[in-house]
Amino acid sequence: MSSHGHGASSAAPVAEHFLSSGRRSEKLSLSTLQSKMKCDPESYLSELDDLQGQFNSSLEVFEQKAAMNFASITGIGSDPTVGKYLGDRAMLLAHVTPLYPEHLANFPAKLATLIRCAARHLPSGLRCRLAQALILLVNRKILDIGETLSLFMELQTLGDRTLKKLAFDHVIHSIKRMNQKHKNEAKNRALQNVLFSMLQEEDEVRAKTALVTLCELHRKKYWFDERTANAICTACFHPASRIMRAALLLLLDYEKIENDSDSDESDIEDETKESPQVILSKETIYKAHHQGTAASKKKKKAKLERVMRRMKRKQRLSTERNNNSYYSPLNHLNDAQNTIAHGLCRVLLRSYCHVVANVKMMMLKLIARTVGVHRLILSDFYPFLQKYIQPRQLDITNLFAAVVQACHDKVPPNDVQPLFKQIVTEFIHGRARPEAITVGLTAVREICMWMPLLMNEDLLRDLALYKKYPEKAVSVAARSLIGLFRELNPSLLVKKDRGWHIEVSEQEDDDDVHTSGDDESVGTNRRKNDSAKKRKFADFQVPNSDQLSLKRVDSAVFEVHVKRRRSKEERSALAKAGREDRGKYLPRKAANQKKTGGLSNRQKERKKKMPVVAKKEKIAKSHLEKKKKNRRAGKQFRGRKA
């Protein structure tokens, strides 16, 4: 071992130079040697043998150190030059492996074995360098992703952030490239089995790594099948609480991910921003095939193909966007009733006291979303929700969002009627706070959009009276409920709340029944109809059942117009914003000292005389003025010359 270590360390000073054999003696750096080997592989076989010998000797040293508890031995682990020495040679050999398939036939397997056995004990820089070399071999199709997938998934669990991102991006990119032209179902199934088995392990780090990878592959539609969707959804029942919570978060966050632009779409937008738009015309196609030299024709054809591919991708994305394609894993479950709905309901009913509050809320939202998407009938779910319908309940808006999502046209109204009555009783009454009334009216409106049969005439007319409530948020919510039933069932409303479009239809019916033979009368009816039609119609359009099943209910809808009480931080920030024009605070004495104007009232009072002194001064002043007046009055005017 010492001889090998000494050989590696003695070779380290000569790490950057080689003597070229054959033509002349000159020193070559590794980068120069790599470029020369690519130009003329046969002339540099001796240098290739030297590189292999140095790599093998360093590899033996590392394997021996790993066998003797590498982490406790100083030397190689703390010496960055030796790590750089091995990493540079591994990278160079990976670059030239396609040029020497016979001489370097065993190199890919040796490199993979080194990373698999000693990656946990290697320094971070060397570990990333060896992983880059292995990725290069996979990209050159010397190694297959099926042979290295488990290794790259293992590298993501070592706690090295740089290596984790490198391995994750490589796995996603490799599977994307594998399915780009056509899908090999057998190969995909083998790779899926690796990730599925890793997801079912009890180790939290490994299971979470597999879960994140599967979700990313499904979100980008590289693995857009039922097997992947079911595997992601079954992670909600993982024995580890962290994995269960992560799976719930990932499934609920698909609604947010759908609103964001996909990576492919953003790439296309970047391309269109950078490059000017090329219009495909007959002249362009003719020039690409018939004009110019062979090289220019080849370039024109390649450019034409790129433009056509970009146009097809744009067209595909636009059609998917117009079709409102919803690609959450919940939409691709084989048996949603038993896999998610009943399973999570059993978890809640058995141990709902032991489940953390935020995890319980996530379970409720996921069950409700599954019931709404697949239009399931889950009669036990609504009485369970009824326990929490109270104004003092935390996250009541999230709970109402779950209630609305769990309602659809196939649910029997009798199952939801007790829950609906409790919402009205607890939230909408004269002694309730305006915030509670607003949230209750909005919840009633959203539920009635899915199940209008829950509303009766007396209840609707009572709720419609809140349109005159002094609080604006309450009146807006009541008018929104009235606008909904103008479209669904106007006969439940009072006549003045039905809207102008109902009056127009009633007028037309009356005109058809009561038409007379007199033409003065026909003109009057036409003028009445025209003036009525000019008035405003209700702009609200009720979506159909398919649109409602794809609709995601946001909890913010229930408190759009509610004025929330500001927190202490918000109030202090608002107060500071109003003091921006003011100067720095100073005591009154310091402010008076810096004053540049006249005297203040207090300073003037200090300079006033005492009453007796002031009276004497006033008498003396009047005597002086009288003397001056008499002196001027006694003299006679003698003319200008005098």
Side-chain angles (χ1 to χ4, degrees), residues 368-635:
R369 188 70 195 129
T370 309
V371 170
V373 169
H374 294 275
R375 299 185 187 178
L376 306 177
I377 298 175
L378 202 65
S379 301
D380 298 336
F381 184 56
Y382 305 100
F384 183 80
L385 289 173
Q386 193 174 348
K387 300 176 183 178
Y388 303 99
I389 300 298
Q390 296 172 356
R392 62 178 181 271
Q393 174 68 35
L394 295 175
D395 295 333
I396 188 64
T397 54
N398 286 324
L399 189 63
F400 275 148
V403 170
V404 173
Q405 286 179 338
C407 297
H408 54 87
D409 52 352
K410 293 185 179 180
V411 178
N414 294 332
D415 292 348
V416 192
Q417 191 70 39
L419 178 64
F420 185 76
K421 285 183 178 179
Q422 184 163 348
I423 293 174
V424 176
T425 306
E426 293 287 338
F427 285 85
I428 311 172
H429 55 84
R431 291 178 294 177
R433 296 173 59 192
E435 295 85 358
I437 299 175
T438 305
V439 172
L441 286 171
T442 310
V444 168
R445 176 187 178 276
E446 293 291 328
I447 293 174
C448 289
M449 189 185 297
W450 300 70
M451 302 178 67
L453 295 177
L454 292 172
M455 184 63 70
N456 56 43
E457 184 176 355
D458 296 334
L459 178 59
L460 180 59
R461 293 186 178 184
D462 290 341
L463 297 179
L465 295 176
Y466 282 94
K467 69 180 180 179
K468 296 182 180 179
Y469 198 85
E471 193 74 24
K472 182 180 178 182
V474 178
S475 62
V476 169
R479 292 177 190 277
S480 180
L481 180 63
I482 293 171
L484 174 67
F485 275 92
R486 281 178 181 173
E487 299 292 334
L488 294 178
N489 192 356
S491 61
L492 297 179
L493 292 166
V494 184
K495 189 173 182 180
K496 64 180 179 180
D497 290 335
R498 293 178 185 177
W500 294 111
H501 61 297
I502 305 299
E503 292 184 7
V504 171
S505 61
E506 289 177 354
Q507 275 186 351
E508 290 176 353
D509 295 339
D510 292 341
D511 291 342
D512 293 338
V513 174
H514 300 290
T515 52
S516 63
D518 192 3
D519 296 335
E520 306 274 343
S521 62
V522 175
T524 305
N525 290 332
R526 284 179 181 175
R527 282 195 297 272
K528 286 182 180 179
N529 289 337
D530 293 339
S531 62
K533 287 179 181 178
K534 287 179 182 178
R535 296 174 181 175
K536 290 185 178 179
F537 286 77
D539 296 332
F540 180 75
Q541 294 182 356
V542 180
N544 56 28
S545 57
D546 294 331
Q547 292 173 343
L548 286 172
S549 64
L550 293 176
K551 181 184 177 184
R552 274 77 65 201
V553 181
D554 190 5
S555 60
V557 173
F558 297 94
E559 47 184 4
V560 173
H561 300 285
V562 175
K563 292 183 179 179
R564 295 185 300 106
R565 186 179 179 185
R566 293 189 180 96
S567 62
K568 185 177 180 181
E569 293 78 9
E570 292 174 347
R571 291 197 301 270
S572 63
L574 192 63
K576 289 178 182 177
R579 299 173 185 168
E580 291 177 353
D581 298 334
R582 296 184 184 180
K584 188 179 179 182
Y585 172 75
L586 290 174
R588 183 174 293 178
K589 188 174 181 181
N592 291 335
Q593 288 175 356
K594 289 189 174 183
K595 191 173 180 182
T596 57
L599 299 177
S600 64
N601 291 336
R602 182 170 294 184
Q603 290 173 343
K604 291 177 181 177
E605 288 177 359
R606 288 176 183 172
K607 290 190 175 184
K608 282 184 178 180
K609 306 294 183 182
M610 297 296 289
V612 180
V613 179
K615 191 174 181 180
K616 288 181 179 180
E617 284 188 355
K618 188 176 181 181
I619 294 171
K621 189 176 181 181
S622 63
H623 287 175
L624 184 63
E625 288 179 356
K626 284 181 181 180
K627 284 181 181 180
K628 288 181 180 180
K629 189 176 181 182
N630 294 332
R631 199 178 297 162
R632 287 194 300 268
K635 292 182 179 181

Side-chain angles (χ1 to χ4, degrees), residues 67-216:
M68 297 174 61
N69 193 0
F70 185 93
S72 64
I73 297 178
T74 58
I76 293 181
S78 60
D79 188 3
T81 58
V82 181
K84 185 176 184 302
Y85 178 82
L86 179 61
D88 290 344
R89 272 140 192 80
M91 201 68 187
L92 178 58
L93 290 174
H95 274 286
V96 300
T97 298
L99 305 175
Y100 305 98
E102 296 180 357
H103 296 81
L104 296 176
N106 299 325
F107 171 70
K110 284 185 180 180
L111 183 61
T113 305
L114 171 63
I115 297 175
R116 184 176 283 109
C117 297
R120 195 172 295 275
H121 309 292
L122 293 176
S124 176
L126 177 60
R127 200 159 46 196
C128 292
R129 193 73 170 159
L130 295 178
Q132 288 174 348
L134 191 62
I135 290 172
L136 184 63
L137 293 173
V138 176
N139 291 340
R140 298 264 178 98
K141 297 184 179 180
I142 299 170
L143 285 175
D144 188 54
I145 184 62
E147 302 171 5
T148 58
L149 178 62
S150 59
L151 174 58
F152 282 107
M153 295 301 297
E154 184 71 29
L155 292 178
Q156 298 181 46
T157 63
L158 299 180
D160 189 343
R161 289 186 178 182
T162 308
L163 183 64
K164 181 179 180 180
K165 187 177 185 308
L166 184 68
F168 179 78
D169 292 342
H170 168 67
V171 170
I172 302 298
H173 176 71
S174 299
I175 296 176
K176 172 190 175 182
R177 191 176 61 174
M178 184 181 70
N179 296 303
Q180 201 162 15
K181 294 183 179 179
H182 64 279
K183 291 191 176 183
N184 188 344
E185 293 297 334
K187 194 173 182 180
N188 280 324
R189 193 174 289 269
L191 297 178
Q192 286 173 349
N193 291 335
V194 174
L195 294 180
F196 293 169
S197 60
M198 190 174 177
L199 180 61
Q200 295 172 359
E201 295 180 8
E202 294 184 0
D203 188 1
E204 293 183 3
V205 179
R206 291 174 59 83
K208 190 172 182 180
T209 303
L211 177 62
V212 173
T213 306
L214 284 172
C215 285
E216 185 69 11

Side-chain angles (χ1 to χ4, degrees), residues 166-401:
L166 184 68
F168 179 78
D169 292 342
H170 168 67
V171 170
I172 302 298
H173 176 71
S174 299
I175 296 176
K176 172 190 175 182
R177 191 176 61 174
M178 184 181 70
N179 296 303
Q180 201 162 15
K181 294 183 179 179
H182 64 279
K183 291 191 176 183
N184 188 344
E185 293 297 334
K187 194 173 182 180
N188 280 324
R189 193 174 289 269
L191 297 178
Q192 286 173 349
N193 291 335
V194 174
L195 294 180
F196 293 169
S197 60
M198 190 174 177
L199 180 61
Q200 295 172 359
E201 295 180 8
E202 294 184 0
D203 188 1
E204 293 183 3
V205 179
R206 291 174 59 83
K208 190 172 182 180
T209 303
L211 177 62
V212 173
T213 306
L214 284 172
C215 285
E216 185 69 11
L217 290 169
H218 189 274
R219 185 180 73 84
K220 293 193 172 181
K221 299 186 180 181
Y222 305 147
W223 282 355
F224 196 61
D225 55 346
E226 295 178 353
R227 294 186 76 232
T228 308
N230 282 275
I232 294 172
C233 293
T234 51
C236 298
F237 306 99
H238 198 276
S241 59
R242 288 179 60 191
I243 304 302
M244 178 182 69
R245 188 172 180 274
L248 292 171
L249 278 173
L250 286 168
L251 286 173
L252 291 174
D253 282 345
Y254 263 92
E255 301 173 7
K256 300 178 183 177
I257 291 170
E258 186 185 2
N259 295 329
D260 299 336
S261 58
D262 195 34
S263 62
D264 297 337
E265 187 176 354
S266 61
D267 293 342
I268 292 174
E269 290 178 357
D270 294 340
E271 288 175 5
T272 53
K273 287 178 182 177
E274 292 175 2
S275 59
Q277 186 177 4
V278 180
I279 301 174
L280 286 180
S281 60
K282 293 182 179 180
E283 184 180 358
T284 308
I285 299 172
Y286 179 80
K287 286 181 180 179
H289 290 278
H290 298 91
Q291 287 187 2
T293 60
S296 64
K297 285 180 184 177
K298 190 175 181 181
K299 290 181 181 179
K300 290 175 185 176
K301 288 179 182 178
K303 185 177 180 180
L304 191 64
E305 290 176 359
R306 286 197 303 270
V307 172
M308 293 180 69
R309 281 199 302 269
R310 192 180 303 146
M311 290 176 64
K312 287 181 180 178
R313 288 171 68 190
K314 280 185 184 178
Q315 187 178 4
R316 176 176 55 83
L317 290 170
S318 63
T319 53
E320 289 177 358
R321 201 183 301 114
N322 294 332
N323 292 335
N324 291 326
S325 59
Y326 182 65
Y327 53 84
S328 171
L330 293 176
N331 209 32
H332 303 280
L333 291 174
N334 289 331
D335 188 5
Q337 183 89 22
N338 296 320
T339 53
I340 291 292
H342 276 306
L344 287 178
C345 263
R346 283 195 295 268
V347 173
L348 283 175
L349 292 173
R350 287 177 185 174
S351 58
Y352 67 91
C353 294
H354 306 288
V355 179
V356 186
N358 58 349
V359 178
K360 185 196 305 182
M361 187 58 65
M362 287 191 289
M363 285 185 177
L364 289 174
K365 290 176 72 174
L366 189 61
I367 295 171
R369 188 70 195 129
T370 309
V371 170
V373 169
H374 294 275
R375 299 185 187 178
L376 306 177
I377 298 175
L378 202 65
S379 301
D380 298 336
F381 184 56
Y382 305 100
F384 183 80
L385 289 173
Q386 193 174 348
K387 300 176 183 178
Y388 303 99
I389 300 298
Q390 296 172 356
R392 62 178 181 271
Q393 174 68 35
L394 295 175
D395 295 333
I396 188 64
T397 54
N398 286 324
L399 189 63
F400 275 148

